[in-house]
């Protein structure tokens, strides 16, 4: 029997796809444009917006005779033993292949934001912690391991990373972001993509675009971003991840910008993404996003019209289950209401990606190979390293940290003895496991209390909760203060409980009115700091909270953004001194709860001034973080130079460890544009370098600045490099510059295109 051309791996993918499409019926082509979600909950405890009302019944046996585009979350819907789950997924793939005429399996996708969202899989630190690490190489290594675990059980596509830039920290999904700066988000996000893709997994960029700019910090609310904010803050991380990461999929955002839903925006999904950026992969909808064009946005009157609008804009696959792209789409095409060419265009993209994944090859097999271990020792070692690098020491004015090994410690607070305090809302135990309270967690997660007792075996440690994370009851305050006064130091462990849609204090749909600590935790901290015992505040959170109220009353403050399953030992290691903290803030820490919304990317009118009684200046700025050793920065005299608008310039600084132990300094480069044709942020990050030095060691860091890094969107909507004065500030944080180069750009105005230089290379000697 002759092998058809579409089965021949020696032929180019486009030729194979063209041959296959010509053989397929309309029903078979549309079947490639949706997924199915077996076992999706409809009882109000779902993991996607409006899941209970958007999930409909389907006849699996009949449906798969047409073929199938995607399988939704075989591991992330309910607890399943990974080895058994791999076998079940293989059986489902065999049934799909056997039922259809062409034997084409589905693409299996899963969430993998902070690790594979599956029972028994490693729970890594959340993306906000990746940002705090300022370590793209380590994030890339983590993503590669996540990708290997996904591939080991038959998964092809991961729905990560989130590349939204924080615009208002009251938004519940701040924990899922990498930070408030597009350069940091872009460089760390691209590293994650490289790691996932290097394991053969299709990385899916979320949420394209503008989702984090929703009005009032409300989840799934309209976006009010202007053209320049969108171009200069929202979009760059996606460019990073596509050009420097090689992502093969993009997820359209739920939101609408200026009245146009992203899922139905041809400029965003076709003109920009494909024609300007040359993206050739697949665009998938966020869960139920195609149906939402009818039910939430009301820009479509029927499911068929919603399918038409999404396909015309450039959405290729309806996730998570068939709602619009099935029979409604088929009937609309047959009636002449939707051009079949739109179906062909999307199906070709889906099949091309399946070809790249080997799913069209005759010898493809769904059977898992080798043992399945989703929480290996190597995974845990990596999770510990990233957790340790992400912990931020915000303050230590009296040098109380590290703690003496025989200290009497009163541990107080609702997050000290709860393993879930370490996890974000997309870690399986918080995402799905909370709906199965009788089931074991599946992974070992030491609490901070347990970890501190292990870390300091000679210390005398007592514990009391003091209060609940959200319950208003203050009855435990008296005992908490009493235990504190009996100790040498009080360690107050406060923060968030991750959840979904209001079932937590941080996470998707857990938006807040202000940045006050949840529940009565602020009052507990008041009571503790009013006593004589020094208080060390430990924050395990998914967003920054206002801390100005206690700034002068705390002996030390440590911030950890949901540091994952090894977060307890990591934070305990910082308290003991085993770990020299090196994390830096990826988001500003506000002074007062109402000083927001605010990020450090402010033009002059966004800064403090005498014409307003509200001072938005943060307590701790973006990029801030302390450690247990001292660094001196040498060669910091201001310099003056002149270059053309397309000429590279090197900025260098020598950093010396003058302290008693090895430590890590994060050398940051910021741009200040004194005069521009439109208002610009006072400073913005354009480069950074993570530098680890032994005591007495010095190294010279050089930033290779290209004027493309100064580009912005001008009043005519064009990206421009303008001649004139710039300042390059080599800094310890966004407000602590050690060295400034006054640079004058000469020559003509330039308009760099999509191939412009995105990153500032660094070298060290």
């Amino acid at each position: 029997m002759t092998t058809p051309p579409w089965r021949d791996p020696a032929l180019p993918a486009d030729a194979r796809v063209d041959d296959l499409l010509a053989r397929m019926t309309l029903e078979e082509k549309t079947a490639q444009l949706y997924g199915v979600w077996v076992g999706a909950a409809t009882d109000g405890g779902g993991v996607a917006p409006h899941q209970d009302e958007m999930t409909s019944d389907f006849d699996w046996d009949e449906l798969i005779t047409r073929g199938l585009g995607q399988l939704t979350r075989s591991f992330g819907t309910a607890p399943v033993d990974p080895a058994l789950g791999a076998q079940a997924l293989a059986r489902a793939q065999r049934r799909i292949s056997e039922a259809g005429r062409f034997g084409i399996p589905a693409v299996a996708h899963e969430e993998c934001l902070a690790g594979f969202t599956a029972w028994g899989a490693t729970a890594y630190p959340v993306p906000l912690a990746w940002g705090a690490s300022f370590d793209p190489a380590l994030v890339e290594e983590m993503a590669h391991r996540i990708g290997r675990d996904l591939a080991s059980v038959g998964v092809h596509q991961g729905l990560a990373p989130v590349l939204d830039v924080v615009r208002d920290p009251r938004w519940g999904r701040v924990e899922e972001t990498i930070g408030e700066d597009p350069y940091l988000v872009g460089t760390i996000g691209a590293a994650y993509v490289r790691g996932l893709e290097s394991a053969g997994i299709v990385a899916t960029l979320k949420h394209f675009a503008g989702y984090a700019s929703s009005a009032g910090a409300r989840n799934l609310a309209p976006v009010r971003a202007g053209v320049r904010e969108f171009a200069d803050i929202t979009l760059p991380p996606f460019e990073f991840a596509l050009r420097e990461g090689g992502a093969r999929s993009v997820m359209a955002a739920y939101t609408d910008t200026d009245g146009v839903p992203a899922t139905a925006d041809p400029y965003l999904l076709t003109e920009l993404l494909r024609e300007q950026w040359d993206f050739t992969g697949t665009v998938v909808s966020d869960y139920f996003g195609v149906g939402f064009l009818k039910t939430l946005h009301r820009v479509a009157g029927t499911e068929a019209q919603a399918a038409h609008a999404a396909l015309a804009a450039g959405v290729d696959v309806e996730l998570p289950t068939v709602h619009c792209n099935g029979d409604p789409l088929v009937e609309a095409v047959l009636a002449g209401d939707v051009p079949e060419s739109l179906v062909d265009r999307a199906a070709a993209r889906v099949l091309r990606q399946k070809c790249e994944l080997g799913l069209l090859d005759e010898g493809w097999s769904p059977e898992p190979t080798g043992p399945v271990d989703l929480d290996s020792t190597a995974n845990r070692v990596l999770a510990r390293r990233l957790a340790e690098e992400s912990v931020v020491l915000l303050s230590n004015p009296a040098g109380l940290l590290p703690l003496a090994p025989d200290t009497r410690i009163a541990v107080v607070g609702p997050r000290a003895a709860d393993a879930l305090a370490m996890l974000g809302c997309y870690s399986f135990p918080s995402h799905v496991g909370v709906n199965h309270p009788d089931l074991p967690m599946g992974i070992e997660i030491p609490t901070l209390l347990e970890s501190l007792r292990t870390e300091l075996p000679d210390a005398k440690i007592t514990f009391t909760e003091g209060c609940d994370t959200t319950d208003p009851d203050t009855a435990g305050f008296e005992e908490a203060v009493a235990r504190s006064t009996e100790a040498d130091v009080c360690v107050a462990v406060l923060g968030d409980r991750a959840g979904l849609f209001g079932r937590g204090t941080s996470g998707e749909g857990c938006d807040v009115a202000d940045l006050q600590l949840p529940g009565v935790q602020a009052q507990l901290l008041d009571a503790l700091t009013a006593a004589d015992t020094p208080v060390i505040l430990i924050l395990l959170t998914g967003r920054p909270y206002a801390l100005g109220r206690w700034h002068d009353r705390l002996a030390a403050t440590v911030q950890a953004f949901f540091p994952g399953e090894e977060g307890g030992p990591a934070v305990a290691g910082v308290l003991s001194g085993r770990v020299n903290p090196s994390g830096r803030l990826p988001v500003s820490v506000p002074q007062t709860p109402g000083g927001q919304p605010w990020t450090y990317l402010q033009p002059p009118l966004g800064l403090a001034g005498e014409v307003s009684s509200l001072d938005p200046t943060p307590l701790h700025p973006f990029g801030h973080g302390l450690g247990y050793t001292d660094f001196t920065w040498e060669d910091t005299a201001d310099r003056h130079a002149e270059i053309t608008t397309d000429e590279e310039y090197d900025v260098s600084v020598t950093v010396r460890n003058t302290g008693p132990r090895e430590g890590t300094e994060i050398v940051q480069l910021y741009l200040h544009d004194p005069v521009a044709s439109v208002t610009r942020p006072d400073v913005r990050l354009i480069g950074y370098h993570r530098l680890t030095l032994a005591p007495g060691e010095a190294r010279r860091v050089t930033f290779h600045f290209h004027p493309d890094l100064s580009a912005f969107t001008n009043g005519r909507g064009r990206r421009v490099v303008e001649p004139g004065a710039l300042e390059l500030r080599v800094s310890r944080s966004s407000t602590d510059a050690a060295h400034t180069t006054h640079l004058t750009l000469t020559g003509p105005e330039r308009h760099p295109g999509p191939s412009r230089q995105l990153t500032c290379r660094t070298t060290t000697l």
Side-chain angles (χ1 to χ4, degrees):
M1 182 177 176
T2 304
T3 301
W6 67 271
R7 283 287 196 193
D8 187 352
L11 291 177
D14 286 343
R16 296 174 68 182
V17 169
D18 288 345
D19 177 69
L20 179 56
L21 272 178
R23 300 167 185 263
M24 299 175 83
T25 66
L26 175 61
E27 288 82 0
E28 289 167 335
K29 289 185 290 189
T30 58
Q32 296 299 315
L33 309 186
Y34 53 74
V36 296
W37 194 358
V38 177
T42 57
D43 58 1
V47 297
H50 299 272
Q51 179 177 319
D52 51 338
E53 62 197 65
M54 294 296 290
T55 301
S56 54
D57 294 331
F58 55 86
D59 185 332
W60 165 265
D61 290 327
E62 190 280 327
L63 194 70
I64 61 175
T65 60
R66 308 178 182 188
L68 183 63
Q70 295 233 359
L71 276 170
T72 296
R73 300 189 65 174
S74 300
F75 295 86
T77 301
V80 57
D81 177 270
L84 297 178
Q87 296 173 12
L89 177 57
R91 286 196 299 272
Q93 292 282 36
R94 285 196 299 272
R95 288 186 62 190
I96 294 167
S97 298
E98 292 165 358
R101 286 198 303 143
F102 299 100
I104 303 170
V107 169
H109 77 257
E110 294 286 347
E111 297 283 2
C112 56
L113 183 72
F116 184 4
T117 306
W119 188 82
T122 303
Y124 291 95
V126 297
L128 202 57
W130 313 348
S133 76
F134 278 73
D135 193 343
L138 187 58
V139 171
E140 182 173 345
E141 186 179 348
M142 173 198 69
H144 178 75
R145 295 205 67 86
I146 293 171
R148 287 177 55 184
D149 287 341
L150 290 165
S152 73
V153 295
V155 175
H156 310 103
Q157 183 167 356
L159 304 187
V162 169
L163 298 179
D164 295 296
V165 179
V166 176
R167 301 303 286 156
D168 187 333
R170 298 174 301 171
W171 191 51
R173 303 190 79 165
V174 167
E175 64 172 70
E176 300 179 43
T177 75
I178 295 167
E180 69 183 31
D181 179 88
Y183 187 87
L184 181 66
V185 175
T187 50
I188 297 288
Y192 181 94
V193 169
R194 285 193 299 271
L196 204 64
E197 291 279 357
S198 70
I201 298 298
V202 175
T204 307
L205 309 183
K206 298 160 57 172
H207 304 88
F208 195 65
Y211 189 34
S213 298
S214 56
R218 292 180 62 249
N219 189 48
L220 222 166
V223 170
R224 305 290 189 230
V227 172
R228 274 164 289 285
E229 177 182 344
F230 211 78
D232 294 340
I233 293 176
T234 300
L235 294 177
F238 292 92
E239 292 185 79
F240 273 95
L242 292 172
R243 281 183 46 199
E244 303 197 355
R248 288 182 285 170
S249 189
V250 170
M251 176 179 282
Y254 282 133
T255 44
D256 72 84
T257 301
D258 197 22
V260 180
T263 307
D265 189 347
Y267 167 76
L268 189 67
L269 302 181
T270 296
E271 184 178 335
L272 176 67
L273 183 61
R274 296 193 183 276
E275 295 173 7
Q276 295 183 30
W277 291 356
D278 296 323
F279 176 68
T280 59
T282 55
V283 174
V284 302
S285 74
D286 205 342
Y287 279 18
F288 308 115
V290 177
F292 287 165
L293 295 177
K294 173 179 179 287
T295 60
L296 298 185
H297 295 293
R298 299 207 296 264
V299 297
T302 65
E303 283 78 12
Q305 290 173 0
H308 187 187
L311 284 170
V315 176
D316 302 311
V317 183
E318 177 188 12
L319 295 182
T321 196
V322 57
H323 196 71
C324 301
N325 281 6
D327 289 339
L329 177 58
V330 171
E331 292 166 7
V333 172
L334 293 175
D337 296 329
V338 177
E340 190 168 354
S341 60
L342 291 179
V343 173
D344 291 345
R345 182 178 72 173
R349 292 167 181 164
V350 171
L351 291 171
R352 189 182 304 114
Q353 196 154 87
K354 287 190 174 186
C355 185
E356 293 171 357
L357 292 168
L359 302 184
L360 302 189
D361 296 350
E362 202 160 18
W364 180 83
S365 170
E367 305 302 326
T369 58
V372 175
D373 182 1
L374 302 184
D375 191 31
S376 65
T377 299
N379 282 12
R380 296 196 71 101
V381 168
L382 187 58
R384 173 82 67 93
R385 282 178 56 203
L386 185 52
E388 290 176 349
E389 288 192 6
S390 70
V391 177
V392 185
L393 178 60
L394 295 180
S395 67
N396 190 25
L400 187 60
L401 291 178
L403 295 170
D406 57 353
T407 305
R408 294 179 302 162
I409 305 171
V411 177
V412 175
R415 310 317 290 142
D418 186 351
L420 291 180
M422 300 296 163
L423 306 183
C425 78
Y426 268 79
S427 296
F428 189 87
S430 295
H431 198 71
V432 177
V434 290
N435 297 321
H436 303 270
D438 297 330
L439 193 76
M441 195 169 290
I443 51 176
E444 181 184 350
I445 307 176
T447 67
L448 181 54
L449 179 63
E450 294 167 342
S451 301
L452 199 55
R453 285 174 169 157
T454 300
E455 190 77 33
L456 296 171
D458 296 327
K460 181 180 179 182
I461 299 175
T462 62
F463 168 67
T464 183
E465 232 181 24
C467 68
D468 180 69
T469 305
T470 56
D471 194 291
D473 187 3
T474 62
F477 283 18
E478 184 176 350
E479 182 184 356
V481 172
R483 297 290 80 74
S484 175
T485 57
E486 296 168 355
D488 298 320
V489 63
C490 173
V491 174
V493 188
L494 310 180
D496 281 314
R497 182 183 69 247
L500 292 164
F501 310 117
R503 302 193 290 268
T505 64
S506 174
E508 185 174 357
C510 297
D511 315 312
V512 294
D514 59 36
L515 295 172
Q516 182 169 247
L517 286 165
V520 293
Q521 293 182 79
Q523 292 94 308
L524 174 62
L525 192 54
D526 283 338
L528 294 172
T529 55
D532 293 332
T533 304
V535 176
I536 297 171
L537 173 61
I538 311 297
L539 291 165
L540 302 172
T541 69
R543 63 163 63 84
Y545 284 100
L547 302 179
R549 176 167 158 183
W550 307 280
H551 179 55
D552 296 329
R553 293 189 275 159
L554 293 169
T557 307
V558 176
Q559 172 71 64
F561 297 109
F562 289 142
E565 65 182 33
E566 289 289 333
V571 175
V574 167
L575 297 180
S576 73
R578 175 180 56 82
V579 175
N580 190 349
S582 62
R584 299 294 186 268
L585 283 174
V587 285
S588 309
V589 171
Q591 180 88 22
T592 60
Q596 303 288 329
W598 196 90
T599 76
Y600 92 103
L601 294 173
Q602 295 297 314
L605 290 185
L607 304 175
E610 61 184 20
V611 297
S612 173
S613 58
L614 182 62
D615 184 352
T617 305
L619 177 65
H620 299 295
F622 175 87
H624 168 75
L626 306 174
Y628 297 148
T629 193
D630 299 312
F631 297 96
T632 59
W633 292 32
E634 303 169 358
D635 308 320
T636 57
D638 284 4
R639 298 185 182 89
H640 296 263
E642 184 177 292
I643 62 172
T644 65
T645 54
D646 61 356
E647 181 181 357
E648 194 171 85
Y649 180 81
D650 291 349
V651 179
S652 301
V653 66
T654 298
V655 180
R656 186 180 304 276
N657 184 349
T658 57
R661 59 181 293 177
E662 180 180 272
T664 298
E665 183 75 299
I666 311 295
V667 185
Q668 302 162 45
L669 181 65
Y670 291 87
L671 176 76
H672 171 71
D673 194 343
V675 179
S677 59
V678 297
T679 63
R680 303 295 301 131
D682 186 55
V683 294
R684 62 182 177 93
L685 185 72
I686 59 169
Y688 59 88
H689 189 86
R690 187 179 173 90
L691 191 64
T692 300
L693 300 172
E697 184 182 6
R699 298 194 73 180
R700 187 172 181 81
V701 180
T702 298
F703 292 93
H704 304 284
F705 168 79
H706 191 282
D708 281 1
L709 297 167
S710 73
F712 60 90
T713 303
N714 66 13
R716 299 183 300 278
R718 294 190 67 188
R719 183 179 291 114
V720 63
V721 175
E722 292 184 343
L726 294 176
E727 291 182 12
L728 304 180
R729 300 177 180 176
V730 182
S731 307
R732 299 175 182 88
S733 76
S734 58
T735 63
D736 186 3
H739 159 71
T740 299
T741 293
H742 301 269
L743 200 60
T744 300
L745 301 185
T746 64
E749 182 176 280
R750 289 181 52 244
H751 297 278
S755 61
R756 74 191 189 282
Q757 186 163 317
L758 293 174
T759 57
C760 189
R761 295 184 301 110
T762 61
T763 55
T764 59
L765 292 174

